[in-house]
Amino acid sequence: MRKSIILILIIGIIYSCQDENSSLGKSLVNSSFRNIITDTCTVSMSTLYVDSIETLGDSICQIGHYEDSIWGKITSSYYTEYSLASFNTEEDHSYKFDSITLKLVHSGNYWGDTLTQQRIYVYPIKYAISFSNDETMYNTSKIQTSNTPLFSFLFSPRPGRKKELEIRMPDSFGQKILDDIISEKEAFDSQDKFKAYFHGLAFVPENSDKCITGFQVNDTSMAIKLYYEDIYSQKVEKKLTFSPNMNYAYTRVDHDRTNTPIAALKSGNVNAVPSSKLNYRAYLQGLTGIYDQIEIPYLNNLMKYGDITSIESATLYLYPLANSYNKINQLPSELRLYVANDDNVLEDQIYESSGTTVQNGNLVTDKTFSRDTYYSFDITSFLQSNLGTMGMYRKKLLLNMTDNDFKSTFKQVIFTNQKNEDRQVKLEVRFKVYTEQ
């Protein structure tokens, strides 16, 4: 008669996937099946940097300058071509110019002191923006502008108080456009002719500014409004709207990290900097190209507890550095985990258990003490598929924001990854082992 198989539940903390010299749980009860929970697995984090991010056609732009002891000096400018507005002159009608304005609508994103004023210089773009179909515009792309600005304006960001701004542009600029329209110049016959006549505008911040503000980019925001009177039997107030042509519009970022903790970052997958060389921190920021790599180097140590090891569940907890986020430094509300191969080529994303919904990091915010804020991901399937692999067959994780946040905001996170310290990166694994009798 066979002996019954005894199921013993062991709940506790053991050193399951640390380095080879760690204790391997010698005190475990000898049995056929064992259920084990551990939160001491080593999680390696590194910071990566990509020097070019495609920003062409984004629905949000960032304009301003901000200097930070951690992230460095950042200047963000916006360049855009404008779409031709439809206008038909009518016989016996006369037209009188009223004003021309720039309409801006806050996106709700900002970085810095929103109680200060920002000055933005608006430069005419010197040459029409042009590139072939397989080209694009990046946060590092350069476009030449006129030496003298068309005008400049001051505004107070305060995105929570006033969402829309309408800035008066020079009357002479608007009058000339209306005169040329009325005289039926061929520049207003097509978009190609219009862009040759008016190449677009560059919005460049003053280097003494202390805030970067996000604006929506659409048919009505970052748009030029030309107001005029149509006079026939009576006066009728009308307007023309020249909207940004998002096929030729992008955000440019100048980034100086000199004398910052991340000054040594170099672009490229092979230049990942371990958190151990960055004071046990990993950095992530939109629009500057900084993101993270995550590895579980001693995952296979779980296999030493028996003849068969089965991972039942695994949750990764990521804690932002306490007091590193506030109204000035905004945390992203969502993050993304990507599965990458040994060369950091993306292969998949981390999904919910349904297999169809992408996980968003499940942000929990400690609004009282700013200490117990964390993101979490269920990485059960990732660990299950990687258990037993090694070398080039072992996958890694890349951590980033949503595409929209990474390409169009300066949201940021500093993660802490110092072993045995409170509120650090943590991996909790539940696994089952079977040992032959």
Side-chain angles (χ1 to χ4, degrees), residues 154-178:
L154 276 172
F155 75 99
S156 299
R158 300 190 177 95
R161 298 184 185 179
K162 190 174 182 180
K163 294 184 178 180
E164 297 185 1
L165 298 172
E166 191 158 12
I167 309 298
R168 184 144 186 168
M169 300 176 73
D171 286 351
S172 57
F173 174 68
Q175 183 70 66
K176 183 179 187 309
I177 291 177
L178 185 61

Side-chain angles (χ1 to χ4, degrees), residues 83-323:
S83 298
L84 176 63
S86 177
F87 186 98
N88 293 313
T89 57
E90 297 187 49
E91 190 176 353
D92 298 329
H93 284 236
S94 62
Y95 304 94
K96 182 181 179 182
F97 172 78
D98 178 77
S99 62
I100 187 168
T101 66
L102 176 69
K103 179 75 172 293
L104 304 99
V105 181
H106 283 291
S107 67
N109 307 118
Y110 57 88
W111 183 29
D113 186 357
T114 59
L115 297 180
T116 61
Q117 284 192 316
Q118 288 183 243
R119 179 172 289 280
I120 306 299
Y121 293 92
V122 182
Y123 290 86
I125 294 175
K126 197 165 187 178
Y127 305 104
I129 303 173
S130 178
F131 48 84
S132 61
N133 292 334
D134 59 348
E135 291 180 318
T136 187
M137 304 300 287
Y138 299 92
N139 60 338
T140 53
S141 298
K142 293 183 179 180
I143 289 180
Q144 192 171 354
T145 66
S146 298
N147 294 327
T148 304
L150 176 65
F151 74 106
S152 69
F153 63 94
L154 276 172
F155 75 99
S156 299
R158 300 190 177 95
R161 298 184 185 179
K162 190 174 182 180
K163 294 184 178 180
E164 297 185 1
L165 298 172
E166 191 158 12
I167 309 298
R168 184 144 186 168
M169 300 176 73
D171 286 351
S172 57
F173 174 68
Q175 183 70 66
K176 183 179 187 309
I177 291 177
L178 185 61
D179 289 346
D180 289 344
I181 290 175
I182 295 170
S183 63
E184 298 183 338
K185 284 196 172 182
E186 65 175 17
F188 299 89
D189 291 345
S190 68
Q191 179 63 31
D192 285 343
K193 292 179 179 179
F194 181 65
K195 70 183 295 180
Y197 163 84
F198 174 44
H199 308 317
L201 297 174
F203 300 85
V204 181
E206 192 169 61
N207 284 334
S208 60
D209 283 354
K210 297 180 180 179
C211 187
I212 299 176
T213 301
F215 296 100
Q216 297 178 23
V217 182
N218 52 44
D219 290 345
T220 57
S221 182
M222 300 302 297
I224 296 172
K225 308 281 187 180
L226 194 159
Y227 297 91
Y228 66 98
E229 294 177 346
D230 184 342
I231 305 170
Y232 184 53
S233 58
Q234 60 182 2
K235 294 181 180 179
V236 179
E237 294 181 349
K238 292 187 176 181
K239 69 178 177 181
L240 290 175
T241 300
F242 299 88
S243 301
N245 182 356
M246 295 174 68
N247 293 322
Y248 297 91
Y250 78 105
T251 296
R252 171 176 169 79
V253 178
D254 293 287
H255 191 187
D256 182 359
R257 297 188 299 274
T258 305
N259 298 322
T260 70
I262 53 176
L265 289 180
K266 295 180 180 179
S267 182
N269 295 336
V270 297
N271 294 316
V273 182
S275 61
S276 58
K277 294 184 178 181
L278 295 173
N279 195 26
Y280 298 98
R281 295 173 184 174
Y283 297 82
L284 172 60
Q285 186 182 45
L287 266 174
T288 56
I290 299 172
Y291 63 108
D292 298 324
Q293 174 181 291
I294 299 175
E295 298 178 273
I296 317 299
Y298 308 111
L299 177 62
N300 286 346
N301 281 3
L302 296 179
M303 301 172 64
K304 295 186 177 182
Y305 289 98
D307 297 302
I308 300 175
T309 298
S310 173
I311 295 175
E312 304 297 309
S313 68
T315 304
L316 178 67
Y317 296 92
L318 302 164
Y319 288 84
L321 176 67
N323 300 315

